[in-house]
Amino acid sequence: KAGVTQTPRYLIKTRGQQVTLSCSPISGHRSVSWYQQTPGQGLQFLFEYFSETQRNKGNFPGRFSGRQFSNSRSEMNVSTLELGDSALYLCASSLAEGGTSYEQYFGPGTRLTVT
Amino acid sequence: AQSVTQPDIHITVSEGASLELRCNYSYGATPYLFWYVQSPGQGLQLLLKYFSGDTLVQGIKGFEAEFKRSQSSFNLRKPSVHWSDAAEYFCAVGGATNKLIFGTGTLLAVQP
């Protein structure tokens, strides 16, 4: 089976712009989670989507949003970019049918740099 | 509050030596515990998981971890480290939801 894919792998944006990141989960996985990784804050959970519905949400401002399509692919969007949004954004897919924690398989990430 | 503590930020071991990485968690319900490894510029790879049952779990690449409820710990071990094990290791806890809480990571260096 193909793994989790994320596009693009690298992105440079300017403050105030918006950005959209894409994630394709492992075939058959309906849960997609997004995490932000920074040197200062570590790995932080952004949100989880399951069957096109946001099932869990972390403590991030409303500038961070996401969605999931019927084929389970997911996108996350960050509007009005700030310098502090520079990070590695990781997508993870899992079965997690019942909603409890399940092993999550991570993609390689998208490295976002905001200048 | 739910949290994961990895007290060792950086560890250096010699190739062939044994390894133990510490992880302590705080979680109000039954914890589901995970260890992930991250190589530079890469995503996270799942090494092993504990949901229930036998408290000693085996994972990939020769790693194992032991769940000790009384100590709220889930330490990762490997009997003989290889140079290719140099990476950053993350402990994580989950449970009633699919949201994982990660520790701050332990960076492992392997000396020849």
Side-chain angles (χ1 to χ4, degrees), chain A residues 78-97:
Chain A
V78 188
S79 63
T80 319
L81 284 165
E82 300 176 1
L83 294 178
D85 297 333
S86 295
L88 181 67
Y89 289 88
L90 292 163
C91 164
S93 82
S94 69
L95 288 170
E97 300 284 330

Side-chain angles (χ1 to χ4, degrees), chain B residues 52-86:
Chain B
S52 65
D54 193 348
T55 56
L56 184 64
V57 294
Q58 303 296 320
I60 62 171
K61 303 185 179 188
F63 286 93
E64 66 177 26
E66 186 171 13
F67 171 59
K68 293 185 177 179
R69 186 184 298 275
S70 62
Q71 298 177 21
S72 297
S73 70
F74 189 57
N75 294 348
L76 182 71
R77 300 194 294 248
K78 186 170 185 178
S80 178
V81 170
H82 188 261
W83 64 266
S84 60
D85 293 325

Side-chain angles (χ1 to χ4, degrees), chain A residues 43-93:
Chain A
L43 279 153
Q44 294 186 288
F45 172 80
L46 281 154
F47 29 65
E48 181 205 11
Y49 284 86
F50 182 82
S51 290
E52 302 178 65
T53 301
Q54 188 179 87
R55 189 160 65 174
N56 292 291
K57 189 177 189 305
N59 296 324
F60 279 81
R63 300 186 297 107
F64 291 82
S65 62
R67 59 178 175 168
Q68 187 179 34
F69 302 94
S70 58
N71 61 358
S72 294
R73 190 177 71 85
S74 176
E75 290 180 346
M76 68 163 280
N77 183 276
V78 188
S79 63
T80 319
L81 284 165
E82 300 176 1
L83 294 178
D85 297 333
S86 295
L88 181 67
Y89 289 88
L90 292 163
C91 164
S93 82

Side-chain angles (χ1 to χ4, degrees), chain B residues 91-107:
Chain B
C91 179
V93 67
T97 72
N98 205 25
K99 168 186 175 180
L100 294 183
I101 298 166
F102 284 87
T104 50
T106 297
L107 187 61

Side-chain angles (χ1 to χ4, degrees), chain A residues 18-39:
Chain A
Q18 75 163 13
V19 67
T20 299
L21 312 182
S22 180
C23 171
S24 293
I26 293 170
S27 176
H29 287 190
R30 293 196 288 162
S31 166
V32 174
S33 298
W34 289 88
Y35 292 82
Q36 181 196 63
Q37 185 177 26
T38 60

